[in-house]
Amino acid sequence: MVDLFGNLSLGLGVALTAYNVLFCFLGVLLGTLIGVLPGVGPVATIAMLLPITISFPPATAMIMLAGIYYGAQYGGSTTAILMNMPGEPSSSVTAIDGYKMARKGRAGPALATAALGSFFAGSVATLVIALFAPPLARYALKFGPPEYFALMVLGLICAVALAHGSVIKALSMVVLGLLFGLVGSDLFSGMNRFTFGYRELSDGVNFAAVAVGIFGIAEILRNLESEKTRDVLIRKVTGLMPTREDLKRIIAPVIRGTAIGSLLGVLPGGGAILAAFAAYAIEKKISRHPEEFGEGAIEGVAAPESANNAGAQTSFIPLLTLGVPANPVMAVMMGAMILQGIIPGPAVITRNPELFWGVIASMWVGNVMLVILNLPLIGLWVRLLTIPYYVLFPAIIAFAAIGSYSISSNAFDLYALALFGGLGYLLVRLGCEPAPFLLGFVLGPQMEEHLRRALIISRGDLSVFLTRPLSATLLAAAAIVLLIVFVPQIARKRDTVFQDELT
């Protein structure tokens, strides 16, 4: 406990410097903005900002990027409540009852509930990270190449299991991402592979071009295809504070949502989204008035908003302790750390304690900023929502192109951006989720490295993955998860659970 307080003091000392407070503020403000505006998510935004953050100190860069991520979770609830148009996928559950509350003239209490629940959940989740990340990191130091390979296999299989839609399509996306991740120079021989004679590919495909193209450009194309007039329900929100009865009704859902989100957030794939749906489903099942859900129940706003914000922040645990991203945003954060010369994993806590504890402490600072900022700025966010999308998308595309080009000042990266933008749009049209693709792309090179190192150590004996207890356990868990999602009854339940909760 003494160590915990000492480490948190170190983190607060880093997070509360004027420079880092400024960039934490910019991060949460920008995160709220992109959460409010449908069409650009935190993945694309963080990827576009990678070139800018290279010149920052590592702790400052990660503090700002982290602020963008959890700030987007706050902002997504605004459009969900006022427009029935979730700014973030995890806010789609909030829209069910939040929009109905707004239509009944209770947009203020709905927005306040989302902000207060998010603040409480974010603060508790940050404490969870501080408590459980260090011992997990110490245990992870015992991992060898076989264990890391098995852990990454488990992570990708979990991402497949938690992906929406067809399991086969999700598996295909993982494999496609792995293949693109292998482009470039061979780690051990230095020979080029899959470059097709293009020297620009000798260092691999530009990570920013992949992330921005698959998530940003593809989302812009999809929105342009189905653009409709955005109807803001309320242009001036009044009566923000919940009543005493409202507060009594939201306390327990916020606590339960925080617990669910803190637990599920560490799962690879979509822990925050899954947590929001699970929290809503539980509240609906245990409520004395389940008929109110879907008609404006305030518990239906409190629980999922708490869950998705807690899940968003505990998703940092596997990245900072194991070097395994839990979702596409964490994959981009992982890329940011690598660009800073920091290898994500258990060594971060000992080699870069200022970064590790500074990021954790900054989450408390950022959550305070968000709860102070969000409610007074509701009027600004409402006005922004009236901007036509055809005005926004040229600026977004220009920013994406500048960001991708500036990393290596190579025009080839712009062609890659266009290619992956088109590929992302095609994948969406085919019903394939891009998140497993990006996770496969990021983890592919590391999986290959650990696989080959394990085989070198064992002199080519594949049984090394089964004779080491932890590696065998992780691979067995991956096989069980994969088998479970193919069980007919579970597969049918998996395909319908999200649709059932949204109806």
Side-chain angles (χ1 to χ4, degrees), residues 122-150:
S123 301
V124 172
T126 304
L127 181 61
V128 170
I129 299 174
L131 288 172
F132 293 101
L136 183 58
R138 286 193 293 271
Y139 184 72
L141 287 171
K142 302 176 183 178
F143 282 26
E147 286 78 14
Y148 267 112
F149 174 77

PDB file of all heavy atoms in Angstrom, residues 122-150:
ATOM      1  N   GLY A 122     -15.209   6.286 -14.302  1.00  0.00           N
ATOM      2  CA  GLY A 122     -13.834   6.542 -14.707  1.00  0.00           C
ATOM      3  C   GLY A 122     -12.893   6.639 -13.526  1.00  0.00           C
ATOM      4  O   GLY A 122     -11.766   6.134 -13.569  1.00  0.00           O
ATOM      5  N   SER A 123     -13.343   7.263 -12.444  1.00  0.00           N
ATOM      6  CA  SER A 123     -12.502   7.400 -11.252  1.00  0.00           C
ATOM      7  C   SER A 123     -12.231   6.045 -10.610  1.00  0.00           C
ATOM      8  O   SER A 123     -11.093   5.739 -10.227  1.00  0.00           O
ATOM      9  CB  SER A 123     -13.182   8.334 -10.245  1.00  0.00           C
ATOM     10  OG  SER A 123     -13.403   9.605 -10.809  1.00  0.00           O
ATOM     11  N   VAL A 124     -13.276   5.214 -10.501  1.00  0.00           N
ATOM     12  CA  VAL A 124     -13.102   3.883  -9.904  1.00  0.00           C
ATOM     13  C   VAL A 124     -12.233   3.004 -10.798  1.00  0.00           C
ATOM     14  O   VAL A 124     -11.349   2.281 -10.308  1.00  0.00           O
ATOM     15  CB  VAL A 124     -14.470   3.224  -9.654  1.00  0.00           C
ATOM     16  CG1 VAL A 124     -14.303   1.768  -9.217  1.00  0.00           C
ATOM     17  CG2 VAL A 124     -15.251   3.996  -8.601  1.00  0.00           C
ATOM     18  N   ALA A 125     -12.454   3.056 -12.103  1.00  0.00           N
ATOM     19  CA  ALA A 125     -11.668   2.233 -13.025  1.00  0.00           C
ATOM     20  C   ALA A 125     -10.193   2.604 -12.970  1.00  0.00           C
ATOM     21  O   ALA A 125      -9.317   1.735 -13.087  1.00  0.00           O
ATOM     22  CB  ALA A 125     -12.200   2.386 -14.450  1.00  0.00           C
ATOM     23  N   THR A 126      -9.908   3.883 -12.795  1.00  0.00           N
ATOM     24  CA  THR A 126      -8.515   4.312 -12.664  1.00  0.00           C
ATOM     25  C   THR A 126      -7.880   3.704 -11.422  1.00  0.00           C
ATOM     26  O   THR A 126      -6.719   3.270 -11.440  1.00  0.00           O
ATOM     27  CB  THR A 126      -8.440   5.844 -12.602  1.00  0.00           C
ATOM     28  OG1 THR A 126      -9.068   6.395 -13.764  1.00  0.00           O
ATOM     29  CG2 THR A 126      -7.001   6.323 -12.543  1.00  0.00           C
ATOM     30  N   LEU A 127      -8.642   3.646 -10.328  1.00  0.00           N
ATOM     31  CA  LEU A 127      -8.142   3.007  -9.105  1.00  0.00           C
ATOM     32  C   LEU A 127      -7.908   1.517  -9.336  1.00  0.00           C
ATOM     33  O   LEU A 127      -6.921   0.948  -8.844  1.00  0.00           O
ATOM     34  CB  LEU A 127      -9.140   3.216  -7.971  1.00  0.00           C
ATOM     35  CG  LEU A 127      -8.761   2.634  -6.610  1.00  0.00           C
ATOM     36  CD1 LEU A 127      -7.472   3.255  -6.096  1.00  0.00           C
ATOM     37  CD2 LEU A 127      -9.883   2.838  -5.599  1.00  0.00           C
ATOM     38  N   VAL A 128      -8.782   0.878 -10.102  1.00  0.00           N
ATOM     39  CA  VAL A 128      -8.611  -0.542 -10.429  1.00  0.00           C
ATOM     40  C   VAL A 128      -7.299  -0.755 -11.183  1.00  0.00           C
ATOM     41  O   VAL A 128      -6.546  -1.699 -10.909  1.00  0.00           O
ATOM     42  CB  VAL A 128      -9.804  -1.049 -11.264  1.00  0.00           C
ATOM     43  CG1 VAL A 128      -9.532  -2.456 -11.811  1.00  0.00           C
ATOM     44  CG2 VAL A 128     -11.077  -1.056 -10.421  1.00  0.00           C
ATOM     45  N   ILE A 129      -7.015   0.128 -12.148  1.00  0.00           N
ATOM     46  CA  ILE A 129      -5.752   0.022 -12.893  1.00  0.00           C
ATOM     47  C   ILE A 129      -4.567   0.147 -11.944  1.00  0.00           C
ATOM     48  O   ILE A 129      -3.608  -0.639 -12.006  1.00  0.00           O
ATOM     49  CB  ILE A 129      -5.673   1.108 -13.983  1.00  0.00           C
ATOM     50  CG1 ILE A 129      -6.806   0.952 -14.988  1.00  0.00           C
ATOM     51  CG2 ILE A 129      -4.328   1.034 -14.711  1.00  0.00           C
ATOM     52  CD1 ILE A 129      -6.884   2.083 -16.007  1.00  0.00           C
ATOM     53  N   ALA A 130      -4.626   1.140 -11.063  1.00  0.00           N
ATOM     54  CA  ALA A 130      -3.516   1.374 -10.124  1.00  0.00           C
ATOM     55  C   ALA A 130      -3.292   0.178  -9.208  1.00  0.00           C
ATOM     56  O   ALA A 130      -2.148  -0.141  -8.850  1.00  0.00           O
ATOM     57  CB  ALA A 130      -3.792   2.633  -9.304  1.00  0.00           C
ATOM     58  N   LEU A 131      -4.373  -0.510  -8.824  1.00  0.00           N
ATOM     59  CA  LEU A 131      -4.260  -1.633  -7.891  1.00  0.00           C
ATOM     60  C   LEU A 131      -3.790  -2.914  -8.559  1.00  0.00           C
ATOM     61  O   LEU A 131      -2.964  -3.649  -8.017  1.00  0.00           O
ATOM     62  CB  LEU A 131      -5.609  -1.876  -7.208  1.00  0.00           C
ATOM     63  CG  LEU A 131      -6.045  -0.846  -6.158  1.00  0.00           C
ATOM     64  CD1 LEU A 131      -7.478  -1.119  -5.717  1.00  0.00           C
ATOM     65  CD2 LEU A 131      -5.100  -0.877  -4.954  1.00  0.00           C
ATOM     66  N   PHE A 132      -4.327  -3.198  -9.761  1.00  0.00           N
ATOM     67  CA  PHE A 132      -4.113  -4.520 -10.346  1.00  0.00           C
ATOM     68  C   PHE A 132      -3.071  -4.566 -11.460  1.00  0.00           C
ATOM     69  O   PHE A 132      -2.546  -5.631 -11.758  1.00  0.00           O
ATOM     70  CB  PHE A 132      -5.443  -5.069 -10.882  1.00  0.00           C
ATOM     71  CG  PHE A 132      -6.437  -5.376  -9.798  1.00  0.00           C
ATOM     72  CD1 PHE A 132      -7.481  -4.516  -9.515  1.00  0.00           C
ATOM     73  CD2 PHE A 132      -6.298  -6.523  -9.024  1.00  0.00           C
ATOM     74  CE1 PHE A 132      -8.393  -4.792  -8.512  1.00  0.00           C
ATOM     75  CE2 PHE A 132      -7.206  -6.819  -8.015  1.00  0.00           C
ATOM     76  CZ  PHE A 132      -8.250  -5.944  -7.751  1.00  0.00           C
ATOM     77  N   ALA A 133      -2.763  -3.439 -12.066  1.00  0.00           N
ATOM     78  CA  ALA A 133      -1.784  -3.464 -13.148  1.00  0.00           C
ATOM     79  C   ALA A 133      -0.368  -3.832 -12.676  1.00  0.00           C
ATOM     80  O   ALA A 133       0.296  -4.662 -13.307  1.00  0.00           O
ATOM     81  CB  ALA A 133      -1.780  -2.120 -13.886  1.00  0.00           C
ATOM     82  N   PRO A 134       0.122  -3.251 -11.569  1.00  0.00           N
ATOM     83  CA  PRO A 134       1.493  -3.598 -11.154  1.00  0.00           C
ATOM     84  C   PRO A 134       1.710  -5.089 -10.857  1.00  0.00           C
ATOM     85  O   PRO A 134       2.681  -5.681 -11.355  1.00  0.00           O
ATOM     86  CB  PRO A 134       1.706  -2.725  -9.912  1.00  0.00           C
ATOM     87  CG  PRO A 134       0.791  -1.575 -10.102  1.00  0.00           C
ATOM     88  CD  PRO A 134      -0.420  -2.156 -10.754  1.00  0.00           C
ATOM     89  N   PRO A 135       0.843  -5.756 -10.056  1.00  0.00           N
ATOM     90  CA  PRO A 135       1.094  -7.191  -9.839  1.00  0.00           C
ATOM     91  C   PRO A 135       0.986  -8.012 -11.118  1.00  0.00           C
ATOM     92  O   PRO A 135       1.736  -8.988 -11.292  1.00  0.00           O
ATOM     93  CB  PRO A 135       0.010  -7.600  -8.830  1.00  0.00           C
ATOM     94  CG  PRO A 135      -0.999  -6.508  -8.832  1.00  0.00           C
ATOM     95  CD  PRO A 135      -0.276  -5.279  -9.216  1.00  0.00           C
ATOM     96  N   LEU A 136       0.085  -7.630 -12.022  1.00  0.00           N
ATOM     97  CA  LEU A 136      -0.019  -8.346 -13.292  1.00  0.00           C
ATOM     98  C   LEU A 136       1.245  -8.159 -14.120  1.00  0.00           C
ATOM     99  O   LEU A 136       1.728  -9.105 -14.751  1.00  0.00           O
ATOM    100  CB  LEU A 136      -1.238  -7.848 -14.068  1.00  0.00           C
ATOM    101  CG  LEU A 136      -1.533  -8.552 -15.399  1.00  0.00           C
ATOM    102  CD1 LEU A 136      -1.737 -10.045 -15.188  1.00  0.00           C
ATOM    103  CD2 LEU A 136      -2.757  -7.936 -16.066  1.00  0.00           C
ATOM    104  N   ALA A 137       1.804  -6.948 -14.093  1.00  0.00           N
ATOM    105  CA  ALA A 137       3.039  -6.690 -14.829  1.00  0.00           C
ATOM    106  C   ALA A 137       4.198  -7.510 -14.259  1.00  0.00           C
ATOM    107  O   ALA A 137       5.027  -8.049 -15.005  1.00  0.00           O
ATOM    108  CB  ALA A 137       3.374  -5.199 -14.788  1.00  0.00           C
ATOM    109  N   ARG A 138       4.258  -7.611 -12.919  1.00  0.00           N
ATOM    110  CA  ARG A 138       5.329  -8.404 -12.308  1.00  0.00           C
ATOM    111  C   ARG A 138       5.210  -9.874 -12.698  1.00  0.00           C
ATOM    112  O   ARG A 138       6.216 -10.543 -12.966  1.00  0.00           O
ATOM    113  CB  ARG A 138       5.287  -8.247 -10.780  1.00  0.00           C
ATOM    114  CG  ARG A 138       5.790  -6.914 -10.281  1.00  0.00           C
ATOM    115  CD  ARG A 138       6.025  -6.925  -8.781  1.00  0.00           C
ATOM    116  NE  ARG A 138       4.783  -7.052  -8.031  1.00  0.00           N
ATOM    117  CZ  ARG A 138       4.043  -6.017  -7.641  1.00  0.00           C
ATOM    118  NH1 ARG A 138       4.431  -4.777  -7.936  1.00  0.00           N
ATOM    119  NH2 ARG A 138       2.931  -6.205  -6.951  1.00  0.00           N
ATOM    120  N   TYR A 139       3.993 -10.374 -12.742  1.00  0.00           N
ATOM    121  CA  TYR A 139       3.798 -11.769 -13.140  1.00  0.00           C
ATOM    122  C   TYR A 139       4.147 -11.963 -14.609  1.00  0.00           C
ATOM    123  O   TYR A 139       4.720 -12.987 -14.997  1.00  0.00           O
ATOM    124  CB  TYR A 139       2.349 -12.181 -12.884  1.00  0.00           C
ATOM    125  CG  TYR A 139       2.075 -13.635 -13.174  1.00  0.00           C
ATOM    126  CD1 TYR A 139       2.548 -14.635 -12.344  1.00  0.00           C
ATOM    127  CD2 TYR A 139       1.360 -14.000 -14.305  1.00  0.00           C
ATOM    128  CE1 TYR A 139       2.318 -15.974 -12.605  1.00  0.00           C
ATOM    129  CE2 TYR A 139       1.109 -15.342 -14.597  1.00  0.00           C
ATOM    130  CZ  TYR A 139       1.589 -16.317 -13.735  1.00  0.00           C
ATOM    131  OH  TYR A 139       1.362 -17.641 -14.011  1.00  0.00           O
ATOM    132  N   ALA A 140       3.820 -10.967 -15.442  1.00  0.00           N
ATOM    133  CA  ALA A 140       4.065 -11.081 -16.875  1.00  0.00           C
ATOM    134  C   ALA A 140       5.556 -11.099 -17.206  1.00  0.00           C
ATOM    135  O   ALA A 140       5.945 -11.559 -18.290  1.00  0.00           O
ATOM    136  CB  ALA A 140       3.383  -9.935 -17.615  1.00  0.00           C
ATOM    137  N   LEU A 141       6.396 -10.605 -16.288  1.00  0.00           N
ATOM    138  CA  LEU A 141       7.843 -10.638 -16.529  1.00  0.00           C
ATOM    139  C   LEU A 141       8.372 -12.062 -16.619  1.00  0.00           C
ATOM    140  O   LEU A 141       9.463 -12.302 -17.140  1.00  0.00           O
ATOM    141  CB  LEU A 141       8.575  -9.883 -15.412  1.00  0.00           C
ATOM    142  CG  LEU A 141       8.444  -8.351 -15.439  1.00  0.00           C
ATOM    143  CD1 LEU A 141       9.011  -7.738 -14.171  1.00  0.00           C
ATOM    144  CD2 LEU A 141       9.142  -7.777 -16.677  1.00  0.00           C
ATOM    145  N   LYS A 142       7.590 -13.026 -16.112  1.00  0.00           N
ATOM    146  CA  LYS A 142       7.994 -14.434 -16.171  1.00  0.00           C
ATOM    147  C   LYS A 142       7.662 -15.070 -17.528  1.00  0.00           C
ATOM    148  O   LYS A 142       8.020 -16.211 -17.776  1.00  0.00           O
ATOM    149  CB  LYS A 142       7.307 -15.221 -15.055  1.00  0.00           C
ATOM    150  CG  LYS A 142       7.607 -14.693 -13.651  1.00  0.00           C
ATOM    151  CD  LYS A 142       6.823 -15.452 -12.589  1.00  0.00           C
ATOM    152  CE  LYS A 142       7.069 -14.884 -11.201  1.00  0.00           C
ATOM    153  NZ  LYS A 142       6.281 -15.587 -10.152  1.00  0.00           N
ATOM    154  N   PHE A 143       6.939 -14.331 -18.379  1.00  0.00           N
ATOM    155  CA  PHE A 143       6.543 -14.876 -19.678  1.00  0.00           C
ATOM    156  C   PHE A 143       7.769 -15.018 -20.582  1.00  0.00           C
ATOM    157  O   PHE A 143       8.645 -14.150 -20.609  1.00  0.00           O
ATOM    158  CB  PHE A 143       5.538 -13.950 -20.374  1.00  0.00           C
ATOM    159  CG  PHE A 143       4.130 -14.049 -19.845  1.00  0.00           C
ATOM    160  CD1 PHE A 143       3.870 -14.466 -18.547  1.00  0.00           C
ATOM    161  CD2 PHE A 143       3.053 -13.724 -20.650  1.00  0.00           C
ATOM    162  CE1 PHE A 143       2.578 -14.548 -18.061  1.00  0.00           C
ATOM    163  CE2 PHE A 143       1.757 -13.807 -20.172  1.00  0.00           C
ATOM    164  CZ  PHE A 143       1.521 -14.214 -18.877  1.00  0.00           C
ATOM    165  N   GLY A 144       7.799 -16.109 -21.319  1.00  0.00           N
ATOM    166  CA  GLY A 144       8.785 -16.292 -22.366  1.00  0.00           C
ATOM    167  C   GLY A 144       8.106 -16.213 -23.726  1.00  0.00           C
ATOM    168  O   GLY A 144       6.898 -15.990 -23.817  1.00  0.00           O
ATOM    169  N   PRO A 145       8.853 -16.421 -24.820  1.00  0.00           N
ATOM    170  CA  PRO A 145       8.250 -16.367 -26.161  1.00  0.00           C
ATOM    171  C   PRO A 145       7.033 -17.286 -26.336  1.00  0.00           C
ATOM    172  O   PRO A 145       6.032 -16.859 -26.927  1.00  0.00           O
ATOM    173  CB  PRO A 145       9.409 -16.764 -27.082  1.00  0.00           C
ATOM    174  CG  PRO A 145      10.624 -16.333 -26.340  1.00  0.00           C
ATOM    175  CD  PRO A 145      10.327 -16.573 -24.894  1.00  0.00           C
ATOM    176  N   PRO A 146       7.056 -18.540 -25.826  1.00  0.00           N
ATOM    177  CA  PRO A 146       5.852 -19.381 -26.008  1.00  0.00           C
ATOM    178  C   PRO A 146       4.626 -18.797 -25.323  1.00  0.00           C
ATOM    179  O   PRO A 146       3.516 -18.844 -25.880  1.00  0.00           O
ATOM    180  CB  PRO A 146       6.261 -20.722 -25.372  1.00  0.00           C
ATOM    181  CG  PRO A 146       7.747 -20.738 -25.408  1.00  0.00           C
ATOM    182  CD  PRO A 146       8.152 -19.317 -25.194  1.00  0.00           C
ATOM    183  N   GLU A 147       4.811 -18.234 -24.123  1.00  0.00           N
ATOM    184  CA  GLU A 147       3.676 -17.676 -23.392  1.00  0.00           C
ATOM    185  C   GLU A 147       3.120 -16.441 -24.096  1.00  0.00           C
ATOM    186  O   GLU A 147       1.894 -16.259 -24.184  1.00  0.00           O
ATOM    187  CB  GLU A 147       4.084 -17.319 -21.956  1.00  0.00           C
ATOM    188  CG  GLU A 147       4.275 -18.507 -21.036  1.00  0.00           C
ATOM    189  CD  GLU A 147       5.604 -19.222 -21.245  1.00  0.00           C
ATOM    190  OE1 GLU A 147       6.491 -18.636 -21.917  1.00  0.00           O
ATOM    191  OE2 GLU A 147       5.754 -20.351 -20.748  1.00  0.00           O
ATOM    192  N   TYR A 148       4.015 -15.604 -24.598  1.00  0.00           N
ATOM    193  CA  TYR A 148       3.536 -14.403 -25.288  1.00  0.00           C
ATOM    194  C   TYR A 148       2.798 -14.760 -26.579  1.00  0.00           C
ATOM    195  O   TYR A 148       1.768 -14.150 -26.916  1.00  0.00           O
ATOM    196  CB  TYR A 148       4.705 -13.459 -25.594  1.00  0.00           C
ATOM    197  CG  TYR A 148       4.921 -12.432 -24.513  1.00  0.00           C
ATOM    198  CD1 TYR A 148       6.061 -12.456 -23.719  1.00  0.00           C
ATOM    199  CD2 TYR A 148       3.970 -11.437 -24.275  1.00  0.00           C
ATOM    200  CE1 TYR A 148       6.251 -11.517 -22.721  1.00  0.00           C
ATOM    201  CE2 TYR A 148       4.155 -10.498 -23.276  1.00  0.00           C
ATOM    202  CZ  TYR A 148       5.294 -10.537 -22.503  1.00  0.00           C
ATOM    203  OH  TYR A 148       5.468  -9.620 -21.514  1.00  0.00           O
ATOM    204  N   PHE A 149       3.313 -15.732 -27.292  1.00  0.00           N
ATOM    205  CA  PHE A 149       2.621 -16.163 -28.512  1.00  0.00           C
ATOM    206  C   PHE A 149       1.230 -16.705 -28.174  1.00  0.00           C
ATOM    207  O   PHE A 149       0.238 -16.338 -28.819  1.00  0.00           O
ATOM    208  CB  PHE A 149       3.439 -17.241 -29.227  1.00  0.00           C
ATOM    209  CG  PHE A 149       2.734 -17.837 -30.413  1.00  0.00           C
ATOM    210  CD1 PHE A 149       2.656 -17.155 -31.615  1.00  0.00           C
ATOM    211  CD2 PHE A 149       2.122 -19.084 -30.311  1.00  0.00           C
ATOM    212  CE1 PHE A 149       1.987 -17.698 -32.702  1.00  0.00           C
ATOM    213  CE2 PHE A 149       1.453 -19.637 -31.394  1.00  0.00           C
ATOM    214  CZ  PHE A 149       1.392 -18.941 -32.596  1.00  0.00           C
ATOM    215  N   ALA A 150       1.160 -17.546 -27.157  1.00  0.00           N
ATOM    216  CA  ALA A 150      -0.130 -18.118 -26.761  1.00  0.00           C
ATOM    217  C   ALA A 150      -1.089 -17.036 -26.276  1.00  0.00           C
ATOM    218  O   ALA A 150      -2.292 -17.077 -26.571  1.00  0.00           O
ATOM    219  CB  ALA A 150       0.084 -19.173 -25.672  1.00  0.00           C
TER     220      ALA A 150
END
